[in-house]
Amino acid sequence: ISLTRLITSHLRDEVADLAPAHEVDGDKKRGAMISYGPCQTPTLGFCVDRWDILQNFHKDVLQTLDVTLQLPSGAEISLEWEPPANLLSSG
């Protein structure tokens, strides 16, 4: 962990323009810490992959309606409905 902290501390000064300093109650504060290490890199990869999946997701309408009616005579009528094709198109 101390090696990761050392690398992170060094990189913070190298990429200071990515996390600029700001003032809080008149005191100048350093920008957000940019962390680098053997766990952060693959975790960022997982997050980016998931973000890409969510951004490329297209919702499909897959509901159908099936109804069975029983008439007073005892006969049954089955009704089935599927959404029209224009409701299923994504885009």
Side-chain angles (χ1 to χ4, degrees), residues 22-91:
H22 59 281
E23 286 193 26
V24 175
D25 297 328
D27 293 331
K28 191 170 184 177
K29 302 287 184 181
R30 293 181 82 172
M33 175 67 75
I34 297 172
S35 190
Y36 170 83
C39 294
Q40 291 89 344
T41 303
T43 301
L44 178 59
F46 297 141
C47 293
V48 169
D49 290 345
R50 183 67 179 153
W51 175 259
D52 289 342
I53 289 169
L54 293 175
Q55 294 304 306
N56 293 316
F57 178 76
H58 298 288
K59 181 178 159 184
D60 289 330
V61 178
L62 301 175
Q63 295 89 0
T64 61
L65 183 62
D66 299 325
V67 177
T68 302
L69 301 172
Q70 186 167 12
L71 300 176
S73 65
E76 289 187 354
I77 299 175
S78 294
L79 305 171
E80 297 177 3
W81 178 84
E82 292 184 14
N86 63 339
L87 289 180
L88 296 176
S89 65
S90 57

